[in-house]
Amino acid sequence: MDRLDLLREAARKVLDSGQVEGVLALRADHGGTVPHLFHPGDDLSDLALWPKFPLPRTVDMLLSSHPEARLGIVVRGCDERGLIEMAKRHQVDLARLTLIGLACTAEEVAYCPCTRPYPNEIAVGEAVEGVEHVLAAEQARLSLAERMAFWRRQFAKCFKCYGCRNVCPQCFCEQCTLEDDLWVERGVLAPPFPSFHLIRALHTVGKCIGCHECELSCPADIPLTILYTLLRQDAQEMFGYEPGASLEDKPPLVVAGVT
Amino acid sequence: MDYRNVLTTCIYCGAGCSLYLQVLDGKVVGVLPAKQHPISEGRLCIKGWNAHAFIHHEDRLTRPLIRDNGAFREASWDEALTLIADRLREVRATHGPDAIGFLTSAKCTNEENYLLQKFARVVIGTNNVDHCARL
C-alpha cells in the first residue's frame, strides 16, 4: 500500500472508532487540495496529501463553534507542533482531538526546508532527516549592515495583505498589534520599517513552529522564513526551547509572563 | 457539524485570484487561498482575505431603497426599476446622454459587466462607463 492508501486506512479507523464526529484532512479539489471534514461513512477516495495546507487554525475554529465535538485530524510535524503550542496557550483542547501523524517525504522536506519533518507519533510514513534552511544559514553569515539592507529591500515590497498573520497557526490574538493605529498607520504602504515585520516576528518567538505558510502565502515573495528560522535558532540557543517539541516544555516568554 | 470549502474567484478586481470560502453550518466564516491556482498560487491581497466579510454583514442591502423627502424607504424591485427607467429617460431628454454615467462592479460576472456597458453605449448613448476596481 502506498502512503496515501495508508493514510486513508488510518483515517477510516479513526472514523469507525465512534470516538469522533469527523476527521479533518485534505481533499483533492480542482487540481489542488483543500481542508475537508470527512464524516463516518464518507468515501475517502479523494482524501489527499499535497500541497499541504495548515489545519490547526481550521480545527480550532471547528472545535470552538462546537464545544462538545471531538475530531480527528491529520497532522504533519508542523501541524502537530502548531497544535501543541496552541494548547499551551489554551487555544485548543488536545483531549478533544485524535491525531493521525503523517511523516513528510524527502521531496516535501526539500520544498519547505524543515528541521523536524515528522510528528512525535507517526501513524503513516517514515521519518526522514530534516534539512537546514540554506538561505537562513547564509543570512546568518552576513554583517548587520548587510542584513539591514537586505530586509529594507524585502520589507519595502510588503503591501500589508496580512496574509502571513492570517495563515499563521500561532496568530490567534483577538486584538492584533498590527491593526493598532499606535504602531501601524492605516492607508500607508509600505508598512513602517522595520517595526511592522519585527513586531510579528517577536510575537512568534517560542511559538513559530516552522510550517512556512507565511512565506508560501506572501504575494510579495518576502522570504519570511529566513527571519523566523533565525529567531527560532536564537530561542533554542538562548533558552533551549524548541516550539512544539513537547507539551511539557514551558515557552520562554510564557515563563517570563510576556505572552 | 457541516464544514465545507467552496472554490470561487475573488470579486474585488480583475486579477481573478482564486479562493475558497469556508462555510461552517451554512454560514460563510472565512477565506482560504487556493494553492493550485495558476494566477494567485495560494496568495491573496487584503481584499481577497476579507472577501467573505460582506456576505452576512448587517449593513448589506437586501431590498431596494428609494429616497423620499430625504429619507430611505424600502421598495419593491418593480417600483425601483420603474423609477430608475423614468429618471434615466428624463435626465437623458433634458441634459443629453453624457449627463449619465455608469459604474459597474467587480462583484458581477464578465457577462453582466458587458451588458451594462452595452446598455450605456447603445441604449443611453454614452461612453461614461467606469468600474469599482478603479475607485
Side-chain angles (χ1 to χ4, degrees), chain A residues 132-168:
Chain A
E132 185 190 42
H133 193 309
V134 176
L135 295 175
E138 283 173 8
Q139 171 97 185
R141 287 192 286 272
L142 299 179
S143 70
L144 282 179
E146 287 169 318
R147 287 198 219 180
M148 186 67 121
F150 176 85
W151 289 113
R152 192 178 290 281
R153 271 199 315 280
Q154 293 297 337
F155 292 161
K157 299 189 293 187
C158 175
F159 53 89
K160 281 175 35 186
C161 71
Y162 288 81
C164 51
R165 180 205 61 180
N166 294 345
V167 81
C168 178

Side-chain angles (χ1 to χ4, degrees), chain A residues 21 29-30 32 34-35 37 39 52-53 58 62 65-66 69 160-161 163 166 213 216-219 221, chain B residues 1-5 7 20 22 24-25 29-30 32-36 41-46 49-50:
Chain A
E21 190 164 330
D29 187 72
H30 290 85
V34 67
L37 187 65
H39 293 275
K52 81 182 182 91
F53 223 108
T58 302
L62 300 182
S65 66
H66 290 260
K160 281 175 35 186
C161 71
N166 294 345
E213 292 296 335
L216 295 172
S217 68
C218 179
D221 280 325
Chain B
M1 188 186 301
D2 181 16
Y3 171 71
R4 56 189 70 197
N5 283 288
L7 187 68
Y20 284 98
Q22 299 191 90
L24 180 57
D25 300 324
V29 293
L32 291 175
K35 296 200 175 199
Q36 73 273 28
E41 298 178 329
R43 294 111 187 255
L44 293 170
C45 78
I46 193 164
W49 274 108
N50 293 284

Side-chain angles (χ1 to χ4, degrees), chain A residues 168 170-171 199-208 228 231 243:
Chain A
C168 178
Q170 301 307 322
C171 271
I199 287 170
R200 205 185 101 74
L202 290 171
H203 282 194
T204 66
V205 171
K207 293 163 84 183
C208 171
Y228 295 124
L231 272 172

Side-chain angles (χ1 to χ4, degrees), chain A residues 5 21 28 47 71 73 80 82 86 100 110 142 180-181 204 209:
Chain A
D5 284 330
E21 190 164 330
L47 193 147
L71 295 174
I73 178 173
E80 187 196 65
M86 289 166 83
I100 305 169
L142 299 179
D180 184 336
D181 290 332
T204 66
I209 38 73

Side-chain angles (χ1 to χ4, degrees), chain B residues 60-67 72-84:
Chain B
R60 188 173 179 184
L61 299 184
T62 54
R63 302 189 57 186
L65 299 178
I66 290 178
R67 184 151 46 198
F72 283 113
R73 63 168 171 83
E74 286 195 348
S76 69
W77 279 105
D78 275 350
E79 185 190 0
L81 289 172
T82 303
L83 178 69
I84 291 166

Side-chain angles (χ1 to χ4, degrees), chain A residues 56-88:
Chain A
R57 274 186 90 109
T58 302
V59 88
D60 179 20
M61 178 177 76
L62 300 182
L63 292 178
S64 301
S65 66
H66 290 260
E68 304 300 317
R70 290 169 181 272
L71 295 174
I73 178 173
V74 175
V75 289
R76 291 175 184 271
C78 53
D79 291 321
E80 187 196 65
R81 293 195 295 278
L83 287 173
I84 286 174
E85 286 305 314
M86 289 166 83
K88 287 178 190 176

